[in-house]
PDB file of all heavy atoms in Angstrom:
ATOM      1  N   ARG A 341       7.532  22.070   5.890  1.00  0.00           N
ATOM      2  CA  ARG A 341       7.328  23.545   5.347  1.00  0.00           C
ATOM      3  C   ARG A 341       6.867  23.406   3.959  1.00  0.00           C
ATOM      4  O   ARG A 341       5.939  24.238   3.507  1.00  0.00           O
ATOM      5  CB  ARG A 341       8.620  24.229   5.425  1.00  0.00           C
ATOM      6  CG  ARG A 341       8.608  25.615   4.933  1.00  0.00           C
ATOM      7  CD  ARG A 341       9.988  26.354   4.835  1.00  0.00           C
ATOM      8  NE  ARG A 341      10.434  26.538   6.158  1.00  0.00           N
ATOM      9  CZ  ARG A 341      11.724  26.973   6.522  1.00  0.00           C
ATOM     10  NH1 ARG A 341      12.544  27.250   5.431  1.00  0.00           N
ATOM     11  NH2 ARG A 341      12.104  27.171   7.665  1.00  0.00           N
ATOM     12  N   LEU A 390      14.092  28.621  -4.843  1.00  0.00           N
ATOM     13  CA  LEU A 390      14.041  29.653  -3.787  1.00  0.00           C
ATOM     14  C   LEU A 390      13.833  29.071  -2.377  1.00  0.00           C
ATOM     15  O   LEU A 390      14.479  29.432  -1.293  1.00  0.00           O
ATOM     16  CB  LEU A 390      12.975  30.665  -4.162  1.00  0.00           C
ATOM     17  CG  LEU A 390      12.977  31.885  -3.202  1.00  0.00           C
ATOM     18  CD1 LEU A 390      12.591  33.141  -4.029  1.00  0.00           C
ATOM     19  CD2 LEU A 390      11.913  31.721  -2.093  1.00  0.00           C
ATOM     20  N   GLU A 391      12.947  28.128  -2.296  1.00  0.00           N
ATOM     21  CA  GLU A 391      12.568  27.523  -0.926  1.00  0.00           C
ATOM     22  C   GLU A 391      13.663  26.620  -0.451  1.00  0.00           C
ATOM     23  O   GLU A 391      13.945  26.609   0.742  1.00  0.00           O
ATOM     24  CB  GLU A 391      11.162  26.858  -1.080  1.00  0.00           C
ATOM     25  CG  GLU A 391      10.025  27.748  -1.148  1.00  0.00           C
ATOM     26  CD  GLU A 391       9.829  28.783  -0.173  1.00  0.00           C
ATOM     27  OE1 GLU A 391      10.483  28.641   0.905  1.00  0.00           O
ATOM     28  OE2 GLU A 391       9.327  29.860  -0.383  1.00  0.00           O
ATOM     29  N   LEU A 392      14.299  25.949  -1.370  1.00  0.00           N
ATOM     30  CA  LEU A 392      15.401  25.148  -0.955  1.00  0.00           C
ATOM     31  C   LEU A 392      16.591  25.943  -0.414  1.00  0.00           C
ATOM     32  O   LEU A 392      17.157  25.726   0.626  1.00  0.00           O
ATOM     33  CB  LEU A 392      15.829  24.208  -2.076  1.00  0.00           C
ATOM     34  CG  LEU A 392      17.101  23.307  -1.841  1.00  0.00           C
ATOM     35  CD1 LEU A 392      16.820  22.435  -0.614  1.00  0.00           C
ATOM     36  CD2 LEU A 392      17.510  22.483  -3.056  1.00  0.00           C
ATOM     37  N   ARG A 393      16.777  27.064  -1.119  1.00  0.00           N
ATOM     38  CA  ARG A 393      17.865  27.949  -0.811  1.00  0.00           C
ATOM     39  C   ARG A 393      17.553  28.715   0.539  1.00  0.00           C
ATOM     40  O   ARG A 393      18.335  28.921   1.421  1.00  0.00           O
ATOM     41  CB  ARG A 393      18.048  29.002  -1.837  1.00  0.00           C
ATOM     42  CG  ARG A 393      19.347  29.886  -1.690  1.00  0.00           C
ATOM     43  CD  ARG A 393      19.926  30.454  -2.979  1.00  0.00           C
ATOM     44  NE  ARG A 393      18.884  30.938  -3.818  1.00  0.00           N
ATOM     45  CZ  ARG A 393      18.349  32.158  -3.830  1.00  0.00           C
ATOM     46  NH1 ARG A 393      18.790  33.031  -3.029  1.00  0.00           N
ATOM     47  NH2 ARG A 393      17.371  32.438  -4.758  1.00  0.00           N
ATOM     48  N   ARG A 394      16.186  29.049   0.750  1.00  0.00           N
ATOM     49  CA  ARG A 394      15.878  29.592   2.059  1.00  0.00           C
ATOM     50  C   ARG A 394      16.189  28.738   3.278  1.00  0.00           C
ATOM     51  O   ARG A 394      16.635  29.147   4.224  1.00  0.00           O
ATOM     52  CB  ARG A 394      14.366  29.954   2.046  1.00  0.00           C
ATOM     53  CG  ARG A 394      13.911  30.758   3.175  1.00  0.00           C
ATOM     54  CD  ARG A 394      12.374  30.889   3.365  1.00  0.00           C
ATOM     55  NE  ARG A 394      11.682  31.144   2.133  1.00  0.00           N
ATOM     56  CZ  ARG A 394      11.535  32.284   1.629  1.00  0.00           C
ATOM     57  NH1 ARG A 394      11.972  33.397   2.174  1.00  0.00           N
ATOM     58  NH2 ARG A 394      10.833  32.488   0.430  1.00  0.00           N
ATOM     59  N   ALA A 395      15.875  27.477   3.126  1.00  0.00           N
ATOM     60  CA  ALA A 395      16.192  26.477   4.098  1.00  0.00           C
ATOM     61  C   ALA A 395      17.667  26.372   4.355  1.00  0.00           C
ATOM     62  O   ALA A 395      18.180  26.285   5.483  1.00  0.00           O
ATOM     63  CB  ALA A 395      15.549  25.147   3.902  1.00  0.00           C
ATOM     64  N   LEU A 396      18.448  26.302   3.209  1.00  0.00           N
ATOM     65  CA  LEU A 396      19.943  26.191   3.331  1.00  0.00           C
ATOM     66  C   LEU A 396      20.593  27.353   3.915  1.00  0.00           C
ATOM     67  O   LEU A 396      21.670  27.267   4.494  1.00  0.00           O
ATOM     68  CB  LEU A 396      20.420  25.738   2.004  1.00  0.00           C
ATOM     69  CG  LEU A 396      20.100  24.366   1.435  1.00  0.00           C
ATOM     70  CD1 LEU A 396      20.593  24.221   0.047  1.00  0.00           C
ATOM     71  CD2 LEU A 396      20.660  23.185   2.319  1.00  0.00           C
ATOM     72  N   GLU A 397      19.960  28.562   3.720  1.00  0.00           N
ATOM     73  CA  GLU A 397      20.576  29.731   4.124  1.00  0.00           C
ATOM     74  C   GLU A 397      20.191  30.185   5.536  1.00  0.00           C
ATOM     75  O   GLU A 397      20.978  30.685   6.337  1.00  0.00           O
ATOM     76  CB  GLU A 397      20.384  30.933   3.178  1.00  0.00           C
ATOM     77  CG  GLU A 397      21.160  30.821   1.800  1.00  0.00           C
ATOM     78  CD  GLU A 397      20.887  31.960   0.903  1.00  0.00           C
ATOM     79  OE1 GLU A 397      20.286  33.019   1.416  1.00  0.00           O
ATOM     80  OE2 GLU A 397      21.351  31.871  -0.257  1.00  0.00           O
ATOM     81  N   HIS A 398      18.893  29.874   5.805  1.00  0.00           N
ATOM     82  CA  HIS A 398      18.259  30.503   7.073  1.00  0.00           C
ATOM     83  C   HIS A 398      17.771  29.454   8.023  1.00  0.00           C
ATOM     84  O   HIS A 398      17.399  29.732   9.142  1.00  0.00           O
ATOM     85  CB  HIS A 398      17.211  31.561   6.736  1.00  0.00           C
ATOM     86  CG  HIS A 398      17.634  32.621   5.929  1.00  0.00           C
ATOM     87  ND1 HIS A 398      18.387  33.606   6.342  1.00  0.00           N
ATOM     88  CD2 HIS A 398      17.354  33.008   4.608  1.00  0.00           C
ATOM     89  CE1 HIS A 398      18.681  34.513   5.478  1.00  0.00           C
ATOM     90  NE2 HIS A 398      18.020  34.122   4.372  1.00  0.00           N
ATOM     91  N   GLY A 399      17.709  28.210   7.595  1.00  0.00           N
ATOM     92  CA  GLY A 399      17.246  27.113   8.468  1.00  0.00           C
ATOM     93  C   GLY A 399      15.761  27.148   8.861  1.00  0.00           C
ATOM     94  O   GLY A 399      15.015  27.565   7.934  1.00  0.00           O
ATOM     95  N   PHE A 400      15.399  26.848  10.000  1.00  0.00           N
ATOM     96  CA  PHE A 400      14.012  26.559  10.370  1.00  0.00           C
ATOM     97  C   PHE A 400      13.591  27.375  11.547  1.00  0.00           C
ATOM     98  O   PHE A 400      14.383  28.097  12.185  1.00  0.00           O
ATOM     99  CB  PHE A 400      13.814  25.057  10.628  1.00  0.00           C
ATOM    100  CG  PHE A 400      14.364  24.232   9.400  1.00  0.00           C
ATOM    101  CD1 PHE A 400      15.547  23.590   9.546  1.00  0.00           C
ATOM    102  CD2 PHE A 400      13.609  24.088   8.249  1.00  0.00           C
ATOM    103  CE1 PHE A 400      16.032  22.918   8.455  1.00  0.00           C
ATOM    104  CE2 PHE A 400      14.072  23.461   7.246  1.00  0.00           C
ATOM    105  CZ  PHE A 400      15.296  22.764   7.281  1.00  0.00           C
ATOM    106  N   THR A 401      12.375  27.350  11.944  1.00  0.00           N
ATOM    107  CA  THR A 401      11.876  28.064  13.037  1.00  0.00           C
ATOM    108  C   THR A 401      11.702  27.188  14.274  1.00  0.00           C
ATOM    109  O   THR A 401      11.581  25.977  14.159  1.00  0.00           O
ATOM    110  CB  THR A 401      10.591  28.775  12.651  1.00  0.00           C
ATOM    111  OG1 THR A 401       9.528  27.786  12.551  1.00  0.00           O
ATOM    112  CG2 THR A 401      10.680  29.581  11.380  1.00  0.00           C
ATOM    113  N   ALA A 402      11.457  27.925  15.381  1.00  0.00           N
ATOM    114  CA  ALA A 402      11.212  27.025  16.678  1.00  0.00           C
ATOM    115  C   ALA A 402       9.933  26.395  16.581  1.00  0.00           C
ATOM    116  O   ALA A 402       9.778  25.272  17.055  1.00  0.00           O
ATOM    117  CB  ALA A 402      11.326  28.057  17.758  1.00  0.00           C
ATOM    118  N   GLU A 404       8.394  25.256  13.834  1.00  0.00           N
ATOM    119  CA  GLU A 404       8.658  24.030  12.992  1.00  0.00           C
ATOM    120  C   GLU A 404       9.189  22.938  13.802  1.00  0.00           C
ATOM    121  O   GLU A 404       8.901  21.789  13.578  1.00  0.00           O
ATOM    122  CB  GLU A 404       9.428  24.497  11.694  1.00  0.00           C
ATOM    123  CG  GLU A 404       8.647  25.359  10.782  1.00  0.00           C
ATOM    124  CD  GLU A 404       9.534  25.849   9.611  1.00  0.00           C
ATOM    125  OE1 GLU A 404      10.772  26.068   9.848  1.00  0.00           O
ATOM    126  OE2 GLU A 404       8.966  26.092   8.597  1.00  0.00           O
ATOM    127  N   LEU A 464      17.706  23.592  17.071  1.00  0.00           N
ATOM    128  CA  LEU A 464      17.508  24.039  15.781  1.00  0.00           C
ATOM    129  C   LEU A 464      18.797  24.104  15.022  1.00  0.00           C
ATOM    130  O   LEU A 464      18.802  23.805  13.899  1.00  0.00           O
ATOM    131  CB  LEU A 464      16.936  25.546  15.804  1.00  0.00           C
ATOM    132  CG  LEU A 464      15.471  25.768  15.808  1.00  0.00           C
ATOM    133  CD1 LEU A 464      15.034  27.110  16.025  1.00  0.00           C
ATOM    134  CD2 LEU A 464      14.816  25.149  14.561  1.00  0.00           C
ATOM    135  N   GLU A 465      19.888  24.542  15.729  1.00  0.00           N
ATOM    136  CA  GLU A 465      21.116  24.580  14.999  1.00  0.00           C
ATOM    137  C   GLU A 465      21.695  23.268  14.589  1.00  0.00           C
ATOM    138  O   GLU A 465      22.187  23.089  13.523  1.00  0.00           O
ATOM    139  CB  GLU A 465      22.193  25.269  15.922  1.00  0.00           C
ATOM    140  CG  GLU A 465      23.587  25.533  15.281  1.00  0.00           C
ATOM    141  CD  GLU A 465      23.521  26.422  14.073  1.00  0.00           C
ATOM    142  OE1 GLU A 465      22.582  27.304  14.029  1.00  0.00           O
ATOM    143  OE2 GLU A 465      24.286  26.304  13.175  1.00  0.00           O
ATOM    144  N   CYS A 467      19.745  20.627  13.728  1.00  0.00           N
ATOM    145  CA  CYS A 467      18.964  20.162  12.597  1.00  0.00           C
ATOM    146  C   CYS A 467      19.414  21.006  11.315  1.00  0.00           C
ATOM    147  O   CYS A 467      19.459  20.423  10.286  1.00  0.00           O
ATOM    148  CB  CYS A 467      17.511  20.316  12.879  1.00  0.00           C
ATOM    149  SG  CYS A 467      17.011  19.338  14.286  1.00  0.00           S
ATOM    150  N   PHE A 468      19.587  22.352  11.469  1.00  0.00           N
ATOM    151  CA  PHE A 468      20.018  23.136  10.328  1.00  0.00           C
ATOM    152  C   PHE A 468      21.452  22.716   9.812  1.00  0.00           C
ATOM    153  O   PHE A 468      21.457  22.371   8.625  1.00  0.00           O
ATOM    154  CB  PHE A 468      20.092  24.595  10.885  1.00  0.00           C
ATOM    155  CG  PHE A 468      20.435  25.530   9.876  1.00  0.00           C
ATOM    156  CD1 PHE A 468      20.238  25.361   8.480  1.00  0.00           C
ATOM    157  CD2 PHE A 468      21.142  26.754  10.211  1.00  0.00           C
ATOM    158  CE1 PHE A 468      20.577  26.346   7.559  1.00  0.00           C
ATOM    159  CE2 PHE A 468      21.526  27.702   9.298  1.00  0.00           C
ATOM    160  CZ  PHE A 468      21.253  27.462   7.899  1.00  0.00           C
ATOM    161  N   GLU A 469      22.358  22.353  10.669  1.00  0.00           N
ATOM    162  CA  GLU A 469      23.672  21.954  10.260  1.00  0.00           C
ATOM    163  C   GLU A 469      23.542  20.606   9.537  1.00  0.00           C
ATOM    164  O   GLU A 469      24.195  20.332   8.540  1.00  0.00           O
ATOM    165  CB  GLU A 469      24.630  21.926  11.371  1.00  0.00           C
ATOM    166  CG  GLU A 469      25.070  23.263  11.880  1.00  0.00           C
ATOM    167  CD  GLU A 469      26.032  23.224  12.991  1.00  0.00           C
ATOM    168  OE1 GLU A 469      26.512  22.051  13.276  1.00  0.00           O
ATOM    169  OE2 GLU A 469      26.498  24.289  13.533  1.00  0.00           O
ATOM    170  N   PHE A 471      20.926  19.294   7.982  1.00  0.00           N
ATOM    171  CA  PHE A 471      20.341  19.409   6.736  1.00  0.00           C
ATOM    172  C   PHE A 471      21.157  19.986   5.667  1.00  0.00           C
ATOM    173  O   PHE A 471      21.351  19.423   4.546  1.00  0.00           O
ATOM    174  CB  PHE A 471      19.030  20.398   6.885  1.00  0.00           C
ATOM    175  CG  PHE A 471      18.298  20.456   5.630  1.00  0.00           C
ATOM    176  CD1 PHE A 471      17.486  19.489   5.054  1.00  0.00           C
ATOM    177  CD2 PHE A 471      18.366  21.723   4.929  1.00  0.00           C
ATOM    178  CE1 PHE A 471      16.832  19.697   3.912  1.00  0.00           C
ATOM    179  CE2 PHE A 471      17.662  21.907   3.668  1.00  0.00           C
ATOM    180  CZ  PHE A 471      16.880  20.854   3.205  1.00  0.00           C
ATOM    181  N   ARG A 472      22.012  21.023   6.038  1.00  0.00           N
ATOM    182  CA  ARG A 472      22.982  21.622   5.118  1.00  0.00           C
ATOM    183  C   ARG A 472      24.057  20.603   4.776  1.00  0.00           C
ATOM    184  O   ARG A 472      24.454  20.522   3.586  1.00  0.00           O
ATOM    185  CB  ARG A 472      23.551  22.873   5.697  1.00  0.00           C
ATOM    186  CG  ARG A 472      22.583  24.029   5.656  1.00  0.00           C
ATOM    187  CD  ARG A 472      23.288  25.386   5.807  1.00  0.00           C
ATOM    188  NE  ARG A 472      24.112  25.534   7.097  1.00  0.00           N
ATOM    189  CZ  ARG A 472      24.672  26.612   7.419  1.00  0.00           C
ATOM    190  NH1 ARG A 472      24.703  27.726   6.599  1.00  0.00           N
ATOM    191  NH2 ARG A 472      25.365  26.587   8.548  1.00  0.00           N
ATOM    192  N   ARG A 507      17.896  35.993  -6.628  1.00  0.00           N
ATOM    193  CA  ARG A 507      16.832  36.733  -5.782  1.00  0.00           C
ATOM    194  C   ARG A 507      17.160  36.458  -4.376  1.00  0.00           C
ATOM    195  O   ARG A 507      17.443  35.359  -3.964  1.00  0.00           O
ATOM    196  CB  ARG A 507      15.404  36.121  -6.030  1.00  0.00           C
ATOM    197  CG  ARG A 507      14.886  36.404  -7.460  1.00  0.00           C
ATOM    198  CD  ARG A 507      13.687  35.597  -7.855  1.00  0.00           C
ATOM    199  NE  ARG A 507      12.624  35.750  -6.754  1.00  0.00           N
ATOM    200  CZ  ARG A 507      11.581  34.864  -6.714  1.00  0.00           C
ATOM    201  NH1 ARG A 507      11.558  33.879  -7.479  1.00  0.00           N
ATOM    202  NH2 ARG A 507      10.680  35.174  -5.836  1.00  0.00           N
ATOM    203  N   ALA A 508      17.138  37.536  -3.561  1.00  0.00           N
ATOM    204  CA  ALA A 508      17.469  37.347  -2.129  1.00  0.00           C
ATOM    205  C   ALA A 508      16.281  36.692  -1.432  1.00  0.00           C
ATOM    206  O   ALA A 508      15.093  36.792  -1.775  1.00  0.00           O
ATOM    207  CB  ALA A 508      17.618  38.700  -1.466  1.00  0.00           C
ATOM    208  N   VAL A 509      16.523  35.814  -0.445  1.00  0.00           N
ATOM    209  CA  VAL A 509      15.479  35.209   0.356  1.00  0.00           C
ATOM    210  C   VAL A 509      15.642  35.565   1.792  1.00  0.00           C
ATOM    211  O   VAL A 509      16.574  35.736   2.348  1.00  0.00           O
ATOM    212  CB  VAL A 509      15.710  33.594   0.204  1.00  0.00           C
ATOM    213  CG1 VAL A 509      15.429  33.100  -1.164  1.00  0.00           C
ATOM    214  CG2 VAL A 509      17.084  33.173   0.673  1.00  0.00           C
ATOM    215  N   GLU A 510      14.423  35.780   2.250  1.00  0.00           N
ATOM    216  CA  GLU A 510      14.263  36.328   3.685  1.00  0.00           C
ATOM    217  C   GLU A 510      14.086  35.065   4.492  1.00  0.00           C
ATOM    218  O   GLU A 510      13.728  33.941   4.141  1.00  0.00           O
ATOM    219  CB  GLU A 510      13.054  37.161   3.913  1.00  0.00           C
ATOM    220  CG  GLU A 510      13.055  38.412   2.991  1.00  0.00           C
ATOM    221  CD  GLU A 510      14.178  39.390   3.509  1.00  0.00           C
ATOM    222  OE1 GLU A 510      14.431  39.436   4.745  1.00  0.00           O
ATOM    223  OE2 GLU A 510      14.842  40.016   2.569  1.00  0.00           O
ATOM    224  N   PRO A 511      14.580  35.150   5.830  1.00  0.00           N
ATOM    225  CA  PRO A 511      14.327  34.059   6.729  1.00  0.00           C
ATOM    226  C   PRO A 511      12.895  33.783   6.936  1.00  0.00           C
ATOM    227  O   PRO A 511      12.014  34.569   6.677  1.00  0.00           O
ATOM    228  CB  PRO A 511      14.836  34.599   8.139  1.00  0.00           C
ATOM    229  CG  PRO A 511      15.819  35.827   7.690  1.00  0.00           C
ATOM    230  CD  PRO A 511      15.187  36.412   6.424  1.00  0.00           C
ATOM    231  N   PRO A 512      12.622  32.464   7.232  1.00  0.00           N
ATOM    232  CA  PRO A 512      11.217  32.147   7.361  1.00  0.00           C
ATOM    233  C   PRO A 512      10.613  32.864   8.555  1.00  0.00           C
ATOM    234  O   PRO A 512      11.272  33.170   9.508  1.00  0.00           O
ATOM    235  CB  PRO A 512      11.285  30.648   7.699  1.00  0.00           C
ATOM    236  CG  PRO A 512      12.728  30.367   8.221  1.00  0.00           C
ATOM    237  CD  PRO A 512      13.507  31.397   7.497  1.00  0.00           C
ATOM    238  N   GLU A 513       9.324  33.153   8.457  1.00  0.00           N
ATOM    239  CA  GLU A 513       8.605  33.929   9.473  1.00  0.00           C
ATOM    240  C   GLU A 513       8.364  33.037  10.707  1.00  0.00           C
ATOM    241  O   GLU A 513       7.864  31.862  10.577  1.00  0.00           O
ATOM    242  CB  GLU A 513       7.229  34.440   8.977  1.00  0.00           C
ATOM    243  CG  GLU A 513       6.525  35.199   9.950  1.00  0.00           C
ATOM    244  CD  GLU A 513       5.119  35.662   9.443  1.00  0.00           C
ATOM    245  OE1 GLU A 513       4.908  35.433   8.163  1.00  0.00           O
ATOM    246  OE2 GLU A 513       4.324  36.171  10.178  1.00  0.00           O
ATOM    247  N   GLU A 514       8.718  33.419  11.871  1.00  0.00           N
ATOM    248  CA  GLU A 514       8.549  32.728  13.123  1.00  0.00           C
ATOM    249  C   GLU A 514       7.043  32.859  13.478  1.00  0.00           C
ATOM    250  O   GLU A 514       6.523  33.945  13.492  1.00  0.00           O
ATOM    251  CB  GLU A 514       9.366  33.217  14.229  1.00  0.00           C
ATOM    252  CG  GLU A 514       9.226  32.381  15.525  1.00  0.00           C
ATOM    253  CD  GLU A 514       9.864  30.975  15.376  1.00  0.00           C
ATOM    254  OE1 GLU A 514      11.040  30.833  15.314  1.00  0.00           O
ATOM    255  OE2 GLU A 514       9.032  30.111  15.314  1.00  0.00           O
TER     256      GLU A 514
END
Side-chain angles (χ1 to χ4, degrees):
R341 180 186 293 175
L390 185 142
E391 292 302 335
L392 178 59
R393 187 156 45 87
R394 189 192 313 276
L396 292 171
E397 291 183 8
H398 300 292
F400 308 101
T401 69
E404 287 174 330
L464 268 177
E465 186 61 29
C467 298
F468 180 28
E469 289 183 3
F471 181 74
R472 286 199 300 185
R507 297 165 56 193
V509 291
E510 298 296 323
E513 180 183 353
E514 184 67 73

